[in-house]
Amino acid sequence: MEQTTPPSGTAPEWVPDARELADLELLLSGAFAPLKGFLGSADAASVTEDGRLPDGTPWPDPVTLLVPHDHPVSAGDELTLRDPEGAAVAVVSVTERTADGLVAGPVTSLGAPEHGPFARLRRSPEQVRAELGERPVLAVTMRGPLDDLDEITATARELDAAILLLPLAFGEGGPAVVRAALKARDRLPSGTAVAVVPLAPREPEIDLELREHVATAYGAVEHLAGPEPVTLPGPPHRRGLVVFFTGLSGSGKSTIARGMHDALLERGTRTVTYLDGDVVRRLLSAGLTFSRHDRDLNIRRIGFVAAEVARHGGLAICAPIAPFAATRDEVRHMVEGVGADFLLVHVATPLDECERRDRKGLYAKARAGLIPEFTGISSPYEEPEDADLTLDTTGISVERGVERVLDVLTAGGWLR
């Protein structure tokens, strides 16, 4: 891959999501050739309608990059893309920026990935073709273990072809797919090669077409698609879970969350972590203000820690105000992205009741203009449309509120 130095000055930056980063790697390696960058609105629409790019090239799926509506990038900019650890990985020469956040343009590499499991096997089509030489190539794409190595061996002999295993390693299950490929390599004819391809799953038809395309980019004259893995996620009580309370200040969400934490500790059947809002603000989010940007960042930090707890089978309880639907959706995506479950509890106590309680005098200060951007007064609260439980604590005891939440957990199988 051609490499450049990062752009200087105050060029706009963005951290793509996991799927976009995977697509970026395939664009840079040449596995998505002839694509050289993220598609624009006209390209994406064309692909969606008839499965071809505007130049007539068959292409089954839009490869796009989205940024928030308030991101400052615009056409003509050089947008630096960074990985989640902050390393600059590529630059997009932006040719289009749409109102809904679509950013299009060719990409230039700032360096191959150096970290992560099996980084040594993330090889480009050019590198693999140079290794395999002039022999025909039988490519086998796989998202799980291969069930018929005899068929692969027989097909390779018939074609007099070298075998190339392409584990489609994406997400948390990626390393397991690569291990399955290495295990299969040891049982296949000598000279079998392995190259890791971070192709994110799509709809089955589109996924198969993209697998065919990637195999061709790696020089395949024949492609075998390995079977889809059988996934058995296990019973809910063994899976990670995040119970995320949201509601106005004074709604009772923290009280219910603490009561739930105590009740679960008494049961002793789950490993439980309670991310107390005040403690998070004092430690994990020390220095953040109460601007919208910093409040959203605080929620993302809570979501990240909760997802890490759930990743390892734990149950995390969070009770921030979390007034914005988009940020709550980000947390849900984080949690579900690690294979855990997410339960949203909307503590929907009305504003007048929350204000009547006002134990800390916050609403009075907000009404007097002493607290800017106070949720429910001078800043909006976007009520969830996807809550798993809606709970109004007006006139009910803490014990009854806790029971309502535990009933949902029991009915869903998260508690036995």
Side-chain angles (χ1 to χ4, degrees):
M1 287 180 261
E2 179 187 357
Q3 297 186 18
T4 69
T5 55
S8 58
T10 56
E13 300 179 342
W14 180 243
V15 178
D17 66 23
R19 172 168 166 164
E20 291 166 339
L21 281 171
D23 286 348
L24 172 65
E25 186 173 336
L26 296 173
L27 288 169
L28 295 173
S29 73
F32 268 177
L35 292 190
K36 297 184 181 298
F38 291 104
L39 299 175
S41 55
D43 297 325
S46 174
V47 169
T48 301
E49 290 165 8
D50 62 9
R52 291 180 180 272
L53 299 177
D55 66 1
T57 302
W59 193 262
D61 187 60
V63 177
T64 55
L65 175 68
L66 290 174
V67 300
H69 65 87
D70 56 354
H71 193 283
V73 68
S74 58
D77 285 343
E78 298 285 295
L79 176 65
T80 300
L81 301 182
R82 297 185 178 274
D83 67 17
E85 296 180 356
V89 292
V91 170
V92 182
S93 299
V94 181
T95 57
E96 180 186 15
R97 163 66 193 274
T98 65
D100 57 359
L102 195 69
V103 171
V107 295
T108 304
S109 174
L110 295 177
E114 299 178 357
H115 305 291
F118 303 110
R120 67 189 183 279
L121 297 176
R122 300 173 93 92
R123 299 183 293 158
S124 70
E126 183 180 5
Q127 292 170 321
V128 172
R129 288 197 301 266
E131 174 190 331
L132 296 178
E134 298 300 321
R135 291 187 65 189
V137 175
L138 169 64
V140 183
T141 56
M142 48 190 294
R143 293 200 182 277
L146 299 173
D147 59 357
D148 193 349
L149 299 184
D150 291 339
E151 179 190 1
I152 296 171
T153 301
T155 304
R157 285 176 180 163
E158 182 180 339
L159 297 171
D160 190 23
I163 300 172
L164 172 62
L165 301 181
L166 297 174
L168 307 177
F170 177 80
E172 290 298 307
V177 179
V178 180
R179 289 194 296 270
L182 295 175
K183 186 175 180 180
R185 180 192 63 182
D186 294 340
R187 298 170 55 199
L188 288 166
S190 176
T192 295
V194 176
V196 173
V197 177
L199 180 65
R202 268 79 164 180
E203 293 296 320
E205 248 182 61
I206 293 174
D207 185 66
L208 181 57
E209 288 188 52
L210 283 178
R211 288 163 78 157
E212 293 271 3
H213 188 91
V214 168
T216 300
Y218 275 87
V221 298
E222 185 81 19
H223 168 234
L224 296 177
E228 292 297 311
V230 177
T231 56
L232 298 174
H237 70 272
R238 295 190 181 276
R239 294 203 300 266
L241 172 66
V242 172
V243 182
F244 193 95
F245 291 84
T246 176
L248 296 172
S249 176
S251 62
K253 62 187 180 302
S254 295
T255 304
I256 300 296
R258 283 194 298 268
M260 175 186 169
H261 179 235
D262 293 344
L264 291 174
L265 289 179
E266 290 179 11
R267 290 187 179 210
T269 57
R270 299 277 321 221
T271 301
V272 187
T273 300
Y274 175 45
L275 297 173
D276 179 84
D278 291 334
V279 174
V280 169
R281 272 280 177 182
R282 189 170 67 251
L283 298 175
L284 185 64
S285 294
L288 294 186
T289 69
F290 286 89
S291 68
R292 171 158 184 171
H293 174 272
D294 281 7
R295 292 164 80 192
D296 280 348
L297 180 56
N298 179 54
I299 300 305
R300 292 189 190 100
R301 290 178 177 178
I302 291 172
F304 173 77
V305 175
E308 289 301 298
V309 170
R311 179 198 301 273
H312 301 289
L315 191 158
I317 304 170
C318 320
I321 292 175
F324 303 114
T327 316
R328 296 191 298 260
D329 287 344
E330 284 188 53
V331 175
R332 181 187 291 274
H333 181 73
M334 286 184 205
V335 173
E336 294 178 346
V338 302
D341 296 326
F342 182 86
L343 189 77
L344 183 64
V345 179
H346 178 205
V347 184
T349 307
L351 175 61
D352 56 354
E353 173 63 16
C354 296
E355 195 165 358
R356 185 190 65 77
R357 296 173 182 178
D358 202 16
R359 291 183 300 169
K360 299 179 182 179
L362 299 178
Y363 282 98
K365 291 180 181 178
R367 293 286 187 191
L370 301 177
I371 303 178
E373 297 190 72
F374 189 83
T375 302
I377 303 298
S378 52
S379 182
Y381 177 81
E382 298 174 0
E383 295 200 354
E385 297 180 354
D386 57 345
D388 299 281
L389 172 65
T390 300
L391 180 65
D392 182 350
T393 64
T394 305
I396 69 169
S397 66
V398 174
E399 291 77 12
R400 178 57 187 146
V402 171
E403 284 176 9
R404 289 278 308 278
V405 181
L406 294 179
D407 286 346
V408 173
L409 267 63
T410 301
W414 293 290
L415 295 179
R416 286 194 291 181

